[in-house]
Amino acid sequence: MSTWDEEIRQRMAAIRKQGRLRESITTGEAAQPVVVREGKRLINLSSNNYLGLAGHPAIISAQQQGAEQGAGATASRLIVGYSPETAALEAQLATYKGCEDALIFTSGYTANVGVLSALLRRNDGVFSDRLNHASIVDGIRLSGARPYRYRHRDLNHLEAQLKEADRLGIRNRLIVTDTVFSMDGDIAPLREIIHLKEKYGAALMVDDAHGSGVFGPEGKGTAYQLGVADGVDLHMGTFSKAYGVYGAYVAGKKEWLHYLVNTCRSLIYTTALPPTMIAGITTSLELIRQGEDLRRDLAEKSSMFRNQLRQAGFDTGESMTQIVPIMVGGSDQTLQYSRLLSERGVLSVGIRPPTVPDGEARLRFSLMATMKEQELQESITVIVDTGRELGVI
Ligand SMILES: Cc1ncc(COP(=O)(O)O)c(C=O)c1O
């Protein structure tokens, strides 16, 4: 008999004891502002469907038409999985982002893991904000490069680490950062990071998962909103959030991307996105480009929501986007808060370690442009009343 049953039992007991047990709960109508869980309707403050496009009829219809070309891509892009539609979408994306070229990946996770592990080698140095997404952390680990994790948005710490790498003679240096931090809703100081990257001869990769489609002219992204897009060497973003579909892209110089086609294992050794997804993303990109009204609605609703929670006494950290956390502290209390909200008609998932640092468990709310004013007001009342009851405020 193997040792595994006992081993897994013990590991699960430890997870339970730490208050870190996770469960998947079936949720219907997830693309909508109001979802269904266990037969109950809940106001959806938990999805990344920021512009509401996951439920857009034009995208769904494009996906249905796409399916006429086959249910799947049938192979990796280097075998027969690279369709003319994929090539056309990559060309459009490159022009849209003002870059020489663009590559489509099957997800944001595989893009980050693959790109970082392909780009970085053992003797290279990588500088990563401590709150970067797990896929960046995993890509760095896999690369074997020398990791420097700088304190969240701390430019002095980043500079000290760049100096240290310089002293050690580490030649190739890459700074990598989320643009919008997924659990905090704050924004990386890209202009200042670019200044440091130039001073120390590094390159910069940004993960714009939560800014793509949401910020900048035509939704081009956070770096475009800040007017610093040219200072970024690799722009990564996802189609799984504001685009409402699935998949991811990386845009940058032609030769860099050609290098990735040759070396990136998560691009080479996996089946390409199916035609339905390529068709859906292509239509979503058009809607995103024309989506100024949706972006304005999202920004207005987010700041109204955040201001009301702040006025009620919540700590929303440095949030300045559609992602608004409220700090709770302990994992158990966070879970209890989330459970009570759900009983009272509001869906907000408690975020606990290891996703966030110890002692920083929180509720993470994410807004949608298509939410009704009344839904938002109703949820604010429930959040505030429950927060008072639990002594969070
Ligand atoms: C900052 C960031 N990068 C990457 C990802 C992964 O993207 P995807 O869900 O498309 O795999 C996420 C999503 O959870 C994210 O928040």
Side-chain angles (χ1 to χ4, degrees):
M1 205 177 80
S2 88
T3 55
W4 281 102
D5 285 342
E6 181 51 28
E7 180 64 26
I8 287 172
R9 205 170 298 124
Q10 281 178 16
R11 290 187 197 175
M12 283 298 281
I15 292 173
R16 254 185 226 105
K17 200 166 161 213
Q18 291 169 324
R20 293 185 178 187
L21 193 69
R22 300 173 191 245
E23 302 286 1
S24 309
I25 305 171
T26 54
T27 309
E29 297 181 35
Q32 304 304 326
V34 178
V35 301
V36 180
R37 256 193 186 180
E38 289 159 352
K40 202 170 149 57
R41 292 169 65 72
L42 301 173
I43 299 170
N44 183 4
L45 286 172
S46 287
S47 88
N48 300 319
N49 181 20
Y50 304 125
L51 300 181
L53 295 183
H56 200 290
I59 299 178
I60 296 167
S61 150
Q63 288 182 319
Q64 283 160 348
Q65 278 170 33
E68 284 165 20
Q69 289 172 34
T74 79
S76 149
R77 68 183 282 135
L78 290 177
I79 312 293
V80 291
Y82 188 52
S83 65
E85 290 77 12
T86 307
L89 177 58
E90 288 183 345
Q92 268 184 50
L93 274 167
T95 310
Y96 168 64
K97 300 284 287 186
C99 295
E100 286 177 14
D101 211 349
L103 278 180
I104 291 176
F105 283 76
T106 50
S107 75
Y109 185 89
T110 56
N112 278 338
V113 167
V115 170
L116 288 163
S117 58
L119 210 55
L120 295 163
R121 291 195 175 161
R122 202 156 291 280
N123 294 326
D124 301 334
V126 56
F127 304 82
S128 170
D129 187 292
R130 269 198 193 155
L131 297 191
N132 276 343
H133 190 257
S135 51
I136 294 180
V137 175
D138 292 357
I140 291 173
R141 268 192 205 147
L142 197 57
S143 75
R146 188 178 179 114
Y148 291 88
R149 290 175 72 219
Y150 58 90
R151 286 189 290 273
H152 183 46
R153 300 197 308 160
D154 186 333
L155 295 159
N156 291 331
H157 197 205
L158 171 59
E159 180 157 24
Q161 295 184 333
L162 284 162
K163 268 193 191 135
E164 165 73 5
D166 202 28
R167 198 180 60 75
L168 293 176
I170 292 173
R171 208 169 79 91
N172 303 315
R173 303 159 201 161
L174 178 75
I175 304 171
V176 57
T177 183
D178 286 8
T179 52
V180 175
F181 289 88
S182 55
M183 297 300 139
D184 293 72
D186 55 352
I187 295 182
L190 292 185
R191 184 175 296 279
E192 294 77 6
I193 290 176
I194 289 168
H195 172 73
L196 288 179
K197 130 188 155 141
E198 278 160 7
K199 187 167 168 190
Y200 291 91
L204 173 63
M205 171 174 171
V206 299
D207 173 342
D208 201 29
H210 298 277
S212 292
V214 174
F215 295 115
E218 295 183 273
K220 285 182 194 177
T222 314
Y224 300 79
Q225 167 104 3
L226 299 175
V228 297
D230 288 347
V232 174
D233 299 280
L234 274 182
H235 295 267
M236 175 271 178
T238 56
F239 301 122
S240 51
K241 306 192 192 302
Y243 279 71
V245 192
Y246 190 65
Y249 65 85
V250 173
K253 285 194 194 125
K254 216 171 194 52
E255 190 164 27
W256 286 43
L257 299 198
H258 196 199
Y259 170 76
L260 290 176
V261 170
N262 280 275
T263 55
C264 179
R265 296 169 71 86
S266 69
L267 195 72
I268 300 171
Y269 298 108
T270 196
T271 301
L273 281 182
T276 45
M277 290 304 158
I278 299 298
I281 297 165
T282 304
T283 299
S284 182
L285 176 58
E286 281 169 34
L287 295 170
I288 291 266
R289 296 185 81 156
Q290 305 154 11
E292 291 309 328
D293 290 351
L294 286 174
R295 279 186 279 281
R296 197 197 45 238
D297 281 357
L298 180 64
E300 283 175 10
K301 284 173 185 163
S302 305
S303 68
M304 184 276 286
F305 182 83
R306 187 172 42 246
N307 288 341
Q308 290 204 25
L309 291 186
R310 277 190 186 149
Q311 276 160 18
F314 285 106
D315 174 5
T316 59
E318 300 290 317
S319 162
M320 51 185 116
T321 63
Q322 73 281 5
I323 299 169
V324 184
I326 56 174
M327 305 305 166
V328 180
S331 291
D332 290 344
Q333 196 183 17
T334 304
L335 276 188
Q336 189 192 8
Y337 200 162
S338 161
R339 212 175 297 122
L340 283 172
L341 289 186
S342 144
E343 282 168 25
R344 296 166 186 182
V346 174
L347 179 61
S348 164
V349 179
I351 309 288
R352 295 163 286 160
T355 306
V356 290
D358 278 328
E360 292 186 24
R362 66 196 66 182
L363 292 179
R364 172 194 188 264
F365 301 111
S366 46
L367 282 286
M368 281 172 72
T370 48
M371 277 181 149
K372 296 198 184 86
E373 180 74 28
Q374 183 214 335
E375 288 161 352
L376 278 178
Q377 286 304 338
E378 203 180 307
S379 41
I380 291 168
T381 305
V382 171
I383 294 162
V384 171
D385 289 350
T386 311
R388 287 209 180 104
E389 199 177 306
L390 293 177
V392 176
I393 47 171

